[in-house]
């Protein structure tokens, strides 16, 4: 920030203090200024306080409007890099001011390497800022969410408040509706896009986090075109506890908006990371490199020849052969071992569970995950007609559990994608102090319903008349069948049929995975 910028910020601060004092003098019955702070107090705050902000805070630590306080100091840290100012709309909304960037990884997934992490962290240095900002508001209603960039800086917001209330408005809810707007862009798209400045702020990106570019807003107040990924409707079995979590990034250049899903269904498709075209060869190379670097943590089993694969009961496409020629097993400390070749004892499945999972030729087992006394079979779904090996899912292996509590977790788009994900888990675990624990935490979703976002299953009648042949065909399944389209689900994601509003307590007859797992359908017992 230039000296001119700092000077202008201090001038705005002096102007804002004068305007607030004049306002409080004219409306003493409903507007009051709170006491200010000494510099020694400001020096001890957990975020830098620029001189322009100090100019305000020495005179007043907040303003009360109609009995509602707006405090300018630190409070409970619910959002990274933002402090709460006060409430709007009778507690349904909250105002925040940006005071600094926050951590490098925050609400997005970790950077792929040290340079990404360094870029994300370095961008957050707030020491040279002339002012706090932006000021944002977030309203979270049952059926409506509003995110607004109210002002670019703290002192701009104070001046706007003084003008609003000085013009006769009763409270801050009377502020004008935004005339301009900006989109919130999925951070995965940002990470894989062409803007290196923003990409450095999001690391790898996260499917449930969006980014608002604050560098050149079209004006203020500015609405954000955004909606959460979760829904508070549809009567989930748990009490819905989802919320929106904000994070300021890049010294105020961007706002990250994460849907923290808890006890509710996902309500719209997410943006996934692209699976590279060379995923099979890349997975082999990454796993070999990890096995060489951490021989006591990552162990690979030998692959097999094409002649052996030719004799398997399912066709083996070339992308899978590329992996299996080189690697037949993957053992990572803290994770259920992946046995990619047939004949492993873990692959033995109860005949009734086998029938409910789709029967012969419909899946290829790769691991048995355990939770307490229960087991789940991690499997690649195989399209019986085309021979395509598709999505990797985890399904309860016990027939009683599968029948009474039908559920599935979708883990990856393909076997090579799963192996690339496991390789990433291992790399990230190696940077921690407890490798096995980090891997164990990362692979909890190998067993279904372990707290991942829930993709909502719906009655198949809702797919009738669909223009998509894959989903349209679901409408021909028996009445009572529920289905979920997994093409817009994050990895991992739970599909808990027994939590669906209309499923009730009916037992499962069988699971179907059209399109090699791009969809999943649960057919209830007659």
């Amino acid at each position: 920030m230039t000296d001119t910028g700092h000077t202008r910020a201090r001038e705005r601060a002096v102007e804002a203090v004068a305007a607030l004092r004049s306002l409080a003098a004219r409306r003493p019955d409903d507007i009051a200024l709170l006491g200010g702070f000494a510099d020694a107090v400001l020096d001890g705050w957990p975020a830098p306080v620029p001189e322009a902000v100090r100019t305000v805070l020495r005179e007043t630590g907040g303003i009360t409007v109609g009995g509602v306080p707006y405090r300018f100091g630190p409070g409970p840290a619910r959002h990274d890099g933002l402090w709460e100012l006060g409430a709007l709309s009778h507690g349904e909304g909250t105002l925040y001011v940006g005071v600094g960037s926050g951590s490098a990884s925050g609400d997005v997934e970790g950077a792929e390497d040290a340079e990404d992490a360094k870029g994300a962290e370095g961008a957050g240095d707030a020491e040279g800022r002339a002012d706090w900002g932006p000021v944002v508001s977030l309203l979270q209603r049952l059926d409506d969410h509003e995110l607004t960039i109210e002002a670019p800086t703290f002192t701009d917001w104070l001046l706007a408040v003084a003008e609003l209330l000085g013009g006769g408005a009763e409270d801050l809810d009377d502020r004008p509706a935004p005339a301009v707007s900006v989109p919130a862009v999925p951070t995965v798209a940002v990470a894989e896009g062409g803007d290196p400045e923003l990409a450095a702020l999001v690391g790898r990106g996260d499917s449930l986090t969006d980014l608002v570019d604050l560098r050149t807003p079209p004006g203020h107040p500015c609405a954000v075109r955004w909606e959460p990924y979760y829904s508070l409707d549809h009567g989930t079995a748990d009490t819905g506890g989802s919320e929106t979590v904000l994070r300021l990034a890049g010294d105020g250049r961007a706002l990250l908006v994460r849907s923290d899903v808890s006890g509710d269904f996902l309500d719209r498709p997410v943006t996934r990371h692209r699976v590279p075209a060379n995923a099979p060869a890349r997975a082999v190379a990454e796993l070999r490199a990890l096995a060489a670097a951490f021989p006591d943590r990552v162990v690979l089993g030998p692959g097999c020849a094409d002649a052996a694969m030719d004799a398997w009961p399912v066709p083996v496409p070339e992308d899978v052969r590329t992996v299996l020629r080189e690697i037949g097993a993957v053992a990572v400390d803290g994770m259920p071992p992946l046995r990619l070749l047939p004949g492993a004892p873990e692959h033995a499945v109860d005949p009734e569970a086998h029938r409910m999972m789709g029967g012969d030729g419909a899946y290829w087992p790769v691991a048995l995950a355990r939770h307490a006394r229960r087991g789940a079979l991690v499997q690649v779904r195989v399209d019986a007609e085309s021979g395509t090996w598709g999505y990797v899912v985890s399904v309860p292996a016990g027939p009683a559990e599968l029948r009474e509590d039908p559920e599935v977790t979708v883990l990856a788009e393909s076997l090579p994608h799963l192996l690339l994900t496991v390789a990433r888990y291992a790399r990230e675990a190696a940077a921690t102090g407890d490798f096995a624990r980090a891997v164990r935490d990362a692979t909890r979703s190998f067993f279904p319903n372990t707290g991942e976002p829930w993709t909502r299953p719906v009655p198949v009648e809702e797919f009738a008349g669909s223009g998509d042949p894959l989903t349209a065909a679901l409408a021909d399944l028996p009445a009572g069948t529920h289905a979920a389209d997994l093409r817009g689900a994050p990895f991992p994601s739970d599909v808990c049929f027994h939590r669906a509003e209309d499923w009730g307590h009916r037992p499962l007859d069988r699971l179907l995975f059209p399109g090699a797992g791009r969809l999943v359908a649960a057919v209830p017992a007659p």
Side-chain angles (χ1 to χ4, degrees):
M1 177 62 69
T2 64
D3 289 342
T4 301
H6 283 276
T7 299
R8 177 61 186 136
R10 285 193 297 270
E11 291 172 350
R12 284 199 311 271
V14 172
E15 184 182 352
V17 169
L20 292 175
R21 287 199 177 281
S22 174
L23 179 66
R26 284 184 285 125
R27 294 176 56 177
D29 293 337
D30 63 336
I31 296 177
L33 301 186
L34 306 179
F37 301 96
D39 279 294
V41 174
L42 302 179
D43 291 341
W45 283 7
V49 185
E51 183 57 34
V53 180
R54 287 174 181 259
T55 299
V56 174
L57 297 183
R58 292 184 188 113
E59 302 298 324
T60 177
I63 182 173
T64 299
V65 182
V68 178
Y70 296 89
R71 303 183 187 278
F72 304 157
R78 292 183 62 252
H79 300 282
D80 201 359
L82 296 123
W83 286 356
E84 184 174 322
L85 290 170
L88 295 170
S89 300
H90 307 287
E92 289 186 320
T94 308
L95 274 167
Y96 302 94
V97 60
V99 297
S101 275
S103 61
S105 58
D107 295 318
V108 292
E109 293 185 21
E112 283 291 277
D113 53 37
E115 287 303 312
D116 284 343
K118 180 180 178 182
E121 187 172 11
D125 181 9
E127 293 289 349
R129 301 177 71 193
D131 201 343
W132 280 347
V135 174
V136 303
S137 65
L138 175 64
L139 274 68
Q140 301 187 81
R141 304 187 181 99
L142 179 64
D143 58 352
D144 184 28
H145 290 68
E146 295 179 13
L147 179 61
T148 304
I149 312 301
E150 301 283 351
T153 70
F154 177 61
T155 53
D156 282 326
W157 175 73
L158 292 175
L159 288 167
V161 166
E163 182 179 1
L164 174 71
L165 298 176
E170 291 188 5
D171 54 39
L172 270 57
D173 285 326
D174 290 336
R175 67 201 189 286
V180 295
S181 66
V182 292
V185 182
T187 53
V188 171
V190 173
E192 298 178 353
D195 190 324
E197 181 181 5
L198 293 182
L201 302 180
V202 302
R204 184 172 178 267
D206 169 60
S207 289
L208 297 177
T209 304
D210 294 341
L211 176 143
V212 184
D213 186 350
L214 301 179
R215 294 174 298 181
T216 55
H220 294 90
C222 181
V224 177
R225 301 193 298 276
W226 166 87
E227 61 185 65
Y229 288 98
Y230 56 82
S231 170
L232 300 178
D233 297 324
H234 310 304
T236 58
D238 291 354
T239 300
S242 301
E243 62 177 350
T244 300
V245 179
L246 305 177
R247 175 192 161 205
L248 194 66
D251 201 12
R253 296 197 299 276
L255 182 70
L256 302 179
V257 190
R258 176 174 171 79
S259 291
D260 188 358
V261 184
S262 176
D264 297 296
F265 288 117
L266 293 170
D267 202 42
R268 65 184 178 104
V270 305
T271 299
R272 293 172 170 172
H273 295 93
R274 286 196 300 264
V275 178
N278 66 339
R282 180 171 167 179
V284 170
E286 291 190 12
L287 289 172
R288 281 181 167 171
L290 286 164
F294 309 101
D296 56 337
R297 300 291 191 184
V298 180
V299 178
L300 306 180
C304 67
D306 282 285
M309 288 184 266
D310 290 340
W312 289 0
V314 297
V316 186
E318 182 58 29
D319 61 332
V320 178
R321 288 175 182 257
T322 299
V323 172
L324 298 184
R325 291 184 189 113
E326 309 295 331
I327 297 173
V330 181
V332 178
D333 192 15
M335 181 189 79
L338 304 180
R339 311 295 189 193
L340 309 182
L341 307 183
E346 301 97 313
H347 295 172
V349 181
D350 180 279
E352 178 61 9
H354 174 70
R355 183 195 68 79
M356 287 190 283
M357 289 180 192
D360 291 338
Y363 66 90
W364 189 257
V366 295
L368 181 67
R370 294 193 177 278
H371 180 71
R373 297 182 179 180
R374 302 172 66 178
L377 191 67
V378 178
Q379 55 191 260
V380 185
R381 297 307 305 187
V382 178
D383 187 290
E385 294 183 3
S386 68
T388 300
W389 286 37
Y391 279 29
V392 182
V393 300
S394 177
V395 180
E401 293 84 3
L402 184 54
R403 182 182 301 107
E404 299 304 322
D405 295 315
E407 54 194 8
V408 171
T409 295
V410 56
L411 299 173
E413 288 186 22
S414 64
L415 178 61
H417 181 209
L418 176 69
L419 298 180
L420 282 174
T421 301
V422 167
R424 177 168 59 85
Y425 290 159
R427 288 197 305 273
E428 293 170 353
T432 72
D434 191 335
F435 185 100
R437 181 175 180 177
V439 170
R440 187 163 52 250
D441 289 345
T443 57
R444 287 174 65 240
S445 55
F446 277 26
F447 194 94
N449 193 14
T450 52
E452 301 302 333
W454 293 346
T455 296
R456 183 168 68 97
V458 299
V460 291
E461 289 79 9
E462 294 193 18
F463 294 103
S466 170
D468 181 351
L470 195 60
T471 54
L474 293 173
D476 297 329
L477 294 173
T481 299
H482 279 56
D485 190 337
L486 303 181
R487 289 171 290 184
F491 295 117
S493 176
D494 285 326
V495 185
C496 301
F497 289 98
H498 58 94
R499 296 182 186 270
E501 196 168 19
D502 300 321
W503 181 266
H505 299 286
R506 291 172 298 173
L508 176 74
D509 179 57
R510 65 191 188 278
L511 290 173
L512 303 174
F513 291 85
R518 287 178 290 168
L519 308 181
V520 59
V523 181

